[in-house]
């Protein structure tokens, strides 16, 4: 089940708003904010085991705000965010982690950081498909049997 179906419409809206506060759009570096639709879709698709903590964080945020976060003026929203950071505990930390995790794996963000859009191994060498010669030293070892506990 996707996190999108486990979060309410208001929670999804608050998630988008708090994500924009965590990482705003930057015209200078030509990167989207964490409220970008593609990044939000990634967050909702990959929440998995963090869904309950993120929902708890969003509920706590809603209690502090007293209304949807997007409806607050900027000064009140900042005050609520400061209070949330001070009182949110592990749930708030989880919310921030999942937002940053999805943000920093977005291709546009990686490009802006000067990173290539591929795994760093094998350091520029392309391996032909089906070439398993790297495993030859492992295959040459004798098997190790150990008693299971």
């Amino acid at each position: 089940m996707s996190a999108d179906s486990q979060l309410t419409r208001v929670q999804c809206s608050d998630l988008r708003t708090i994500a924009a506060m965590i990482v705003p759009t930057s015209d200078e570096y030509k990167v989207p904010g964490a409220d970008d639709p593609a990044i939000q879709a990634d967050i909702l698709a990959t929440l998995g085991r963090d869904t309950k903590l993120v929902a708890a964080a969003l509920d706590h945020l809603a209690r502090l705000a007293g209304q949807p976060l997007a409806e607050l003026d900027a000064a009140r929203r900042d005050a609520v965010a400061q209070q949330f950071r001070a009182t949110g505990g592990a749930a708030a930390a989880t919310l921030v982690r999942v937002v940053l995790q999805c943000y920093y794996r977005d291709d546009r963000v990686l490009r802006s950081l000067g990173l290539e859009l591929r795994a760093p191994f094998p350091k520029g060498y392309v391996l032909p498909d089906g070439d398993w010669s790297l495993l030859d030293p492992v295959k040459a070892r004798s098997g190790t049997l150990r008693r299971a506990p």
Side-chain angles (χ1 to χ4, degrees):
M1 182 183 305
S2 75
D4 193 19
S5 63
Q6 293 179 2
L7 298 178
T8 67
R9 183 186 55 77
V10 173
Q11 286 175 324
C12 288
S13 174
D14 282 352
L15 174 62
R16 191 171 33 261
T17 303
I18 198 71
M21 293 174 72
I22 294 169
V23 185
T25 301
S26 172
D27 293 330
E28 179 182 354
Y29 296 107
K30 297 177 180 64
V31 291
D35 63 334
D36 181 80
I39 295 170
Q40 285 293 301
D42 188 24
I43 291 170
L44 293 173
T46 60
L47 271 178
R49 66 187 173 106
D50 293 322
T51 303
K52 287 183 183 177
L53 272 176
V54 169
L58 293 169
D59 288 343
H60 180 64
L61 188 61
R63 280 191 301 279
L64 294 173
Q67 66 188 75
L69 202 59
E71 294 176 7
L72 297 176
D73 61 59
R76 176 77 178 120
R77 200 171 24 225
D78 287 342
V80 167
Q82 291 297 327
Q83 193 177 9
F84 174 66
R85 188 169 57 182
T87 62
T94 299
L95 174 64
V96 171
R97 179 182 51 78
V98 298
V99 168
L100 293 176
Q101 170 182 302
C102 292
Y103 180 78
Y104 283 106
R105 72 173 165 223
D106 184 82
D107 290 350
R108 297 163 292 178
V109 175
L110 290 174
R111 276 190 209 98
S112 77
L113 295 171
L115 299 174
E116 294 183 39
L117 304 179
R118 63 172 179 79
F121 182 79
K123 298 185 180 175
Y125 300 103
V126 177
L127 297 177
D129 286 338
D131 180 7
W132 297 99
S133 61
L134 287 175
L135 293 177
D136 289 343
V138 176
K139 290 179 192 176
R141 291 188 207 161
S142 61
T144 303
L145 301 175
R146 295 184 182 155
R147 184 174 297 270

